[in-house]
Amino acid sequence: MAIHPTAIVAPGAELHPSCEIGPYAVIGPRVRMGPGNVVGAHAVVEGNTTIGAGNRIFAHAVVGAPPQDLKYRGEDTRLEMGDGNLVREFASIHTGTVGGGGVTRLASQCLIMASAHVAHDVHLGDRCIVATFCALAGHVEAEDGVIFGGVSAVQQFSRIGRLAYVGGLTGVNMDVAPYLMASGPRGEIVGINLIGLQRAGFTEEQVGRVKDAYRIVYRSKLPLQDALAQVRSELGQHPEILHWVKFIEGSQRGIMR
């Protein structure tokens, strides 16, 4: 294990022998790290935090700090991170709250860019990107492959669907359905994330079905429930469309239109 002489690793921390801890980094007593993790200079990893394998936490990042929630009273809540995540300089990721299920969770292969904030009880799927100065408020849920542009902000309890794209400087206060793009200070849907779908391996037929579903729900004048019923009837046998319909039907905040 490579621990710099100036680093502070509290008694009780469980670090795999292959971990590297940089100068002046601080590791709390309840931190557990798997193999191949690297913690940069002056970074802080604290709280009841479990980190998988091959993550890199860069200089001055804060991972596992208590939530910024006035209702928090020191309860035993957690942060869980999977494998291969990158947490860049000055980013912050906080533990959960009792009211939000008690756990903040990042899956694997996520990129949290410099000075971004991931608040309490946020759940990020695999391969999400949270760009510089983006702020995800408490209880936000993002499915696999979501990209948040720089200086975007997502209101608490919002849901962002698979392979959606939130543009820079965008404010999100409602759910963003899978495969779509949101943009603008008061965010609205501006189209389909075609590049994201292609990069994710969607075939031309799958992209065509997404376009058809989008046209029915967002471009027809049908009431939402009637539009969803039509999509189910015409395209619901295809998994990517069934997921899209179920996401919209499960919205509590309402979907961004």
Side-chain angles (χ1 to χ4, degrees):
M1 187 183 303
I3 300 178
H4 193 275
T6 62
I8 297 175
V9 178
E14 299 177 13
L15 310 183
H16 190 274
S18 60
C19 291
E20 299 179 22
I21 311 299
Y24 301 100
V26 178
I27 309 297
R30 305 186 67 194
V31 173
R32 296 173 298 281
M33 290 189 189
N37 291 291
V38 178
V39 179
H42 296 275
V44 177
V45 184
E46 58 179 314
N48 186 354
T49 296
T50 301
I51 298 176
N55 299 278
R56 186 170 182 187
I57 299 168
F58 284 73
H60 299 280
V62 177
V63 174
Q68 298 178 121
D69 186 330
L70 294 176
K71 299 186 297 297
Y72 181 71
R73 295 292 184 270
E75 297 90 351
D76 184 17
T77 58
R78 310 187 313 280
L79 167 64
E80 298 176 357
M81 292 175 56
D83 304 329
N85 296 291
L86 299 177
V87 181
R88 295 303 307 242
E89 299 83 355
F90 296 98
S92 56
I93 306 172
H94 291 173
T95 58
T97 63
V98 171
V103 59
T104 302
R105 182 176 292 113
L106 277 67
S108 295
Q109 304 295 325
C110 294
L111 169 58
I112 313 300
M113 292 190 187
S115 299
H117 176 57
V118 178
H120 58 86
D121 306 296
V122 167
H123 291 176
L124 297 183
D126 292 331
R127 299 176 303 282
C128 290
I129 297 174
V130 183
T132 300
F133 291 114
C134 173
L136 304 183
H139 315 279
V140 167
E141 296 184 11
E143 296 183 334
D144 294 347
V146 174
I147 296 176
F148 298 92
V151 203
S152 58
V154 183
Q155 187 169 319
Q156 58 265 38
F157 296 101
S158 297
R159 300 159 61 238
I160 315 296
R162 175 188 178 208
L163 296 173
Y165 179 87
V166 176
L169 295 169
T170 296
V172 174
N173 63 359
M174 302 182 79
D175 293 352
V176 178
Y179 320 136
L180 304 186
M181 297 190 299
S183 184
R186 296 183 179 273
E188 56 186 29
I189 298 301
V190 295
I192 299 168
N193 184 18
L194 293 175
I195 293 176
L197 297 184
Q198 292 165 358
R199 289 175 175 171
F202 273 47
T203 65
E204 286 189 21
E205 291 76 14
Q206 288 175 307
V207 171
R209 290 192 288 267
V210 171
K211 289 180 178 179
D212 290 341
Y214 175 80
R215 186 188 70 254
I216 294 169
V217 172
Y218 284 86
R219 291 291 180 256
S220 75
K221 296 183 179 181
L222 289 172
L224 179 59
Q225 295 306 318
D226 293 344
L228 290 175
Q230 181 176 336
V231 172
R232 270 188 178 274
S233 174
E234 296 180 5
L235 302 165
Q237 69 273 30
H238 301 286
E240 69 279 2
I241 302 302
L242 183 59
H243 174 78
W244 195 72
V245 171
K246 287 183 175 179
F247 181 97
I248 296 174
E249 290 177 338
S251 176
Q252 300 296 313
R253 298 185 63 85
I255 61 166
M256 189 179 290
R257 300 297 288 271

